Amino acid sequence: AQKITQTQPGMFVQEKEAVTLDCTYDTSDPSYGLFWYKQPSSGEMIFLIYQGSYDQQNATEGRYSLNFQKARKSANLVISASQLGDSAMYFCAMREADNNNDMRFGAGTRLTVKP
Amino acid sequence: GAGVSQSPSNKVTEKGKDVELRCDPISGHTALYWYRQSLGQGLEFLIYFQGNSAPDKSGLPSDRFSAERTGGSVSTLTIQRTQQEDSAVYLCASSPRRSGRGTDTQYFGPGTRLTVL
């Protein structure tokens, strides 16, 4: 069964606007971590933001914030004030505490920022 | 400090040949992961090393794939008798420690792009 679902294969956003990238997940483990990574065309995976299942507040890191809705099992990434350099693939990932070896990744969303 | 490094960055090989891919994790990181990313796809977990424990090989797609980690640091992923479907980017990641709450952040290397002709 698919653990991480990213329903948007591609997204476009105008420079300086905000964009939300969707991610839903499936787990029965009460303890888990959710991650977002950025992969530019150069190929490296860049860690952006982390949300723990027990965290009371939504994670924020600069222009990145995570809209964590635990009951809905969603962990959407919000990028504010988009920049041209934000154009990349974005992957949502989850690791369950009971399965710490296996980080499951979604299929990714390709974000294109238009000038 | 230095990040995760991988070599070579690109590898082109002929079907049936063996290849070795190398990963140097961040110094002090005890956990090391290998992933495979096919063109336009997400990441597929291959193998995980944690300290001196036996590795988790549950993601290896066939017995042609193997990996070792010497001295708890450098890791080598070996693919024997390569096939065209092995063509992908192979990514290595390391993390500083293992947390029972699944909170460890992984830091990725730049990957090795393998092309099997």
Side-chain angles (χ1 to χ4, degrees):
Chain A
Q2 190 71 282
K3 290 264 187 177
I4 298 286
T5 303
Q6 294 180 254
T7 59
Q8 307 152 314
M11 288 282 287
F12 290 88
V13 64
Q14 203 68 36
E15 192 179 9
K16 300 181 184 177
E17 293 186 350
V19 63
T20 298
L21 306 184
D22 294 343
C23 174
T24 58
Y25 58 92
D26 181 28
T27 181
S28 58
D29 191 336
S31 179
Y32 52 90
L34 297 159
F35 305 79
W36 277 92
Y37 286 86
K38 172 184 178 182
Q39 187 178 43
S41 56
S42 52
E44 72 269 32
M45 294 283 280
I46 303 167
F47 166 72
L48 296 178
I49 196 167
Y50 163 80
Q51 180 85 44
S53 59
Y54 293 113
D55 293 344
Q56 296 297 314
Q57 294 186 328
N58 287 345
T60 61
E61 288 287 346
R63 294 187 298 109
Y64 303 108
S65 61
L66 204 152
N67 183 1
F68 181 44
Q69 298 187 46
K70 193 171 183 177
R72 295 185 178 182
K73 293 186 177 176
S74 78
N76 299 340
L77 176 69
V78 180
I79 305 174
S80 62
S82 297
Q83 301 172 357
L84 296 179
D86 293 336
S87 294
M89 282 289 286
Y90 288 81
F91 291 97
C92 179
M94 176 180 68
R95 180 190 284 116
E96 298 158 314
D98 284 346
N99 189 17
N100 223 355
N101 299 346
D102 193 356
M103 182 104 104
R104 296 293 184 98
F105 285 80
T109 295
R110 181 171 297 283
L111 177 67
T112 302
V113 180
K114 298 188 288 186
Chain B
V4 178
S5 61
Q6 292 185 246
S7 61
S9 56
N10 280 284
K11 177 71 176 178
V12 180
T13 190
E14 294 179 347
K15 178 182 174 181
K17 300 281 190 182
D18 298 351
V19 295
E20 285 190 350
L21 312 179
R22 177 187 168 105
C23 172
D24 282 273
I26 293 172
S27 178
H29 281 195
T30 59
L32 186 147
Y33 303 77
W34 282 98
Y35 295 89
R36 178 169 70 175
Q37 186 178 28
S38 301
L39 186 63
Q41 302 297 313
L43 274 70
E44 174 189 4
F45 167 77
L46 296 178
I47 189 169
Y48 162 77
F49 295 90
Q50 171 60 42
N52 295 322
S53 302
D56 178 352
K57 305 178 182 179
S58 59
L60 295 179
S62 78
D63 58 7
R64 296 187 295 105
F65 288 72
S66 63
E68 61 179 22
R69 188 178 184 191
T70 54
S73 180
V74 172
S75 177
T76 302
L77 177 69
T78 301
I79 309 173
Q80 296 178 310
R81 305 181 302 282
T82 52
Q83 303 294 314
Q84 288 182 331
E85 60 262 29
D86 299 335
S87 296
V89 174
Y90 289 80
L91 287 159
C92 174
S94 69
S95 64
R97 58 180 173 83
R98 180 171 181 172
S99 163
R101 297 185 63 182
T103 61
D104 294 342
T105 296
Q106 295 182 10
Y107 298 88
F108 283 80
T112 294
R113 183 175 297 278
L114 175 66
T115 303
V116 181
L117 301 177

